[in-house]
């Protein structure tokens, strides 16, 4: 059995949360300012319970957090959290650089092999 580290589990939750277009749209709305759940739910044609489930996924992934509304102290507003997204971005950047370097080395190797083949340089066209 494979045991996952907490960071790997968090990355799984972040990527799963980002896999849904409704949740990505919610995150885009929250970039402007913190919103109440009803403000966030407004443009979506889904039930309040459906929106709440999406918010739970985003919260579990560490992409948003609920903060008490300072005006009334009873309701909540949702605001973006960037730590989980920064960790996911760092993971993607690392792997992008890794594969880019691997492919660059493979390309160099293939070019060297092509140039080292006998008769390759002075081959005449018929």
């Amino acid at each position: 059995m494979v045991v996952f580290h907490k960071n790997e589990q968090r990355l799984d939750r972040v990527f799963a949360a980002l896999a849904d277009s409704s949740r990505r749209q919610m995150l885009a709305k929250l970039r402007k300012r913190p919103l109440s759940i009803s403000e966030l739910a407004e443009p979506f044609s889904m039930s309040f319970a459906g929106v709440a489930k999406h918010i739970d996924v985003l919260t579990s992934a560490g992409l948003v957090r609920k903060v008490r509304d300072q005006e009334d102290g009873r309701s909540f507003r949702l605001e973006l959290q960037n730590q989980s997204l920064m960790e996911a971005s760092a993971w993607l950047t690392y792997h992008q650089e890794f594969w880019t370097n691997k492919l660059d080395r493979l390309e160099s190797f293939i070019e060297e092999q092509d140039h080292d083949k006998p008769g390759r340089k002075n081959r005449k066209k018929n």
Side-chain angles (χ1 to χ4, degrees):
M1 184 166 117
V2 176
V3 177
F4 290 100
H5 299 294
K6 281 189 172 187
N7 286 346
E8 291 171 338
Q9 291 174 340
R10 184 171 25 207
L11 278 177
D12 288 346
R13 287 192 301 270
V14 169
F15 289 125
L18 295 174
D20 184 87
S21 65
S22 295
R23 291 192 285 264
R24 290 192 306 272
Q25 290 173 36
M26 290 176 182
L27 292 173
K29 285 188 68 170
L30 288 169
R31 280 189 296 207
K32 297 175 186 170
R33 64 183 175 90
L35 299 170
S36 68
I37 295 173
S38 58
E39 290 171 325
L40 190 61
E42 193 174 289
F44 296 99
S45 59
M46 64 178 81
S47 68
F48 189 80
V51 171
K53 285 182 183 180
H54 283 298
I55 292 168
D56 287 344
V57 171
L58 292 169
T59 303
S60 173
L63 295 170
V64 299
R65 73 177 181 153
K66 295 177 182 178
V67 293
R68 287 217 183 266
D69 192 333
Q70 293 178 357
E71 292 177 16
D72 69 10
R74 292 177 295 155
S75 59
F76 290 94
R77 292 187 111 24
L78 299 164
E79 65 181 27
L80 286 178
Q81 291 291 173
N82 64 357
Q83 182 62 38
S84 293
L85 198 54
M86 288 185 342
E87 290 171 6
S89 179
W91 186 90
L92 289 169
T93 300
Y94 169 80
H95 288 281
Q96 179 185 16
E97 290 172 359
F98 172 82
W99 284 109
T100 299
N101 291 337
K102 288 277 190 191
L103 292 173
D104 288 347
R105 287 196 308 247
L106 177 61
E107 182 180 31
S108 296
F109 175 77
I110 291 171
E111 287 175 357
E112 286 176 19
Q113 295 300 310
D114 283 348
H115 290 298
D116 291 345
K117 286 183 181 176
R120 180 88 171 151
K121 294 179 183 173
N122 297 327
R123 203 180 262 184
K124 293 182 181 179
K125 292 184 178 178
N126 291 334

